[in-house]
Amino acid sequence: DGGITQSPKYLFRKEGQNVTLSCEQNLNHDAMYWYRQDPGQGLRLIYYSQIVNDFQKGDIAEGYSVSREKKESFPLTVTSAQKNPTAFYLCASSSTGGSQKLFFGSGTQLSVL
Amino acid sequence: GDSVTQMEGPVTLSEEAFLTINCTYTATGYPSLFWYVQYPGEGLQLLLKATKADDKGSNKGFEATYRKETTSFHLEKGSVQVSDSAVYFCALRDANDYKLSFGAGTTVTVRA
């Protein structure tokens, strides 16, 4: 089945630790995205990538980093510089084109120990 | 920049009631408009979309019409079911960009 796989489903971070969230898609989509979801605030864009080896900052990129070495993969690292990392993180992908819908993964809940 | 404002929740309804969730947008160009739904513990799924003025998107009994004159894309369903309980997000994508801008989400609870 085609889709987006995020792992792990739950992740805990210690003080000062970097953690990496995985996102893999087999939909052959060029574009991939990371969103952060906080209660009552909807989704905010962290980073997005339109093509391999290229990515752009979204609205809240500080304290996060990404890479796009393969078309299928777009991992997100939450660094120790992100002081409030507890949130639900959603990865998405889409084909290019203005009206193309996003396909979402099932999310990773990150909490701070 | 582009933005979406949607009705605050939570919204609680009885089964078979009429549901409306208001959504208005601000955009410089001619965006595509979307409604996404999120069931508990899951990612988002596309519910419906409209790509130009006066288009009506529809799916699973839900409808929304792209109104350029009022910059709105209100979601409606005539008779809700318990299974419609979810968080609903209005979103827009500018024609010249790949990013989606989301509203804050509206939590809907339908009671039997």
Side-chain angles (χ1 to χ4, degrees):
Chain A
D1 286 340
I4 299 182
T5 302
Q6 288 188 242
S7 62
K9 190 168 180 64
Y10 300 97
L11 186 59
F12 297 91
R13 193 190 89 166
K14 294 180 182 179
E15 197 76 32
Q17 185 182 39
N18 292 353
V19 292
T20 298
L21 284 61
S22 171
C23 178
E24 304 277 334
Q25 55 101 358
N26 61 6
L27 299 167
N28 199 34
H29 285 161
D30 285 315
M32 296 188 74
Y33 314 79
W34 275 104
Y35 285 90
R36 170 178 169 144
Q37 184 177 20
D38 295 279
Q41 295 191 45
L43 277 70
R44 292 181 290 170
L45 183 64
I46 304 172
Y47 269 97
Y48 66 107
S49 167
Q50 298 176 14
I51 198 167
V52 174
N53 292 322
D54 186 46
F55 48 83
Q56 288 80 39
K57 293 181 179 179
D59 300 319
I60 55 165
E62 186 174 351
Y64 300 96
S65 66
V66 294
S67 63
R68 187 86 188 277
E69 297 176 1
K70 298 187 299 182
K71 187 175 185 177
E72 303 80 21
S73 179
F74 192 41
L76 174 74
T77 296
V78 184
T79 74
S80 57
Q82 173 49 246
K83 298 307 180 188
N84 184 24
T86 297
F88 191 56
Y89 290 86
L90 286 162
C91 179
S93 71
S94 74
S95 56
T96 55
S99 65
Q100 297 303 316
K101 71 176 186 179
L102 265 62
F103 290 78
F104 282 84
S106 56
T108 293
Q109 176 64 50
L110 175 62
S111 303
V112 177
L113 289 176
Chain B
D2 297 346
S3 67
V4 175
T5 302
Q6 66 180 98
M7 185 175 88
E8 290 187 17
V11 175
T12 303
L13 303 165
S14 297
E15 220 168 11
E16 298 183 5
F18 184 87
L19 170 68
T20 298
I21 304 176
N22 289 342
C23 172
T24 57
Y25 68 90
T26 302
T28 53
Y30 299 93
S32 295
L33 301 173
F34 305 81
W35 276 101
Y36 280 81
V37 59
Q38 183 180 34
Y39 299 103
E42 298 182 9
L44 278 68
Q45 305 171 25
L46 179 67
L47 182 60
L48 52 84
K49 72 175 185 181
T51 58
K52 61 182 187 297
D54 299 325
D55 267 2
K56 177 186 284 188
S58 61
N59 185 26
K60 299 182 181 179
F62 289 90
E63 292 183 342
T65 301
Y66 189 142
R67 301 285 188 201
K68 189 170 182 292
E69 63 276 13
T70 54
T71 61
S72 65
F73 193 54
H74 305 321
L75 182 69
E76 297 181 336
K77 185 172 185 180
S79 177
V80 293
Q81 305 299 313
V82 172
S83 58
D84 293 324
S85 298
V87 183
Y88 293 83
F89 293 91
C90 186
L92 74 80
R93 173 183 271 171
D94 187 88
N96 298 316
D97 204 347
Y98 297 108
K99 300 182 296 181
L100 234 64
S101 297
F102 285 87
T106 302
T107 300
V108 173
T109 302
V110 180
R111 296 178 176 168

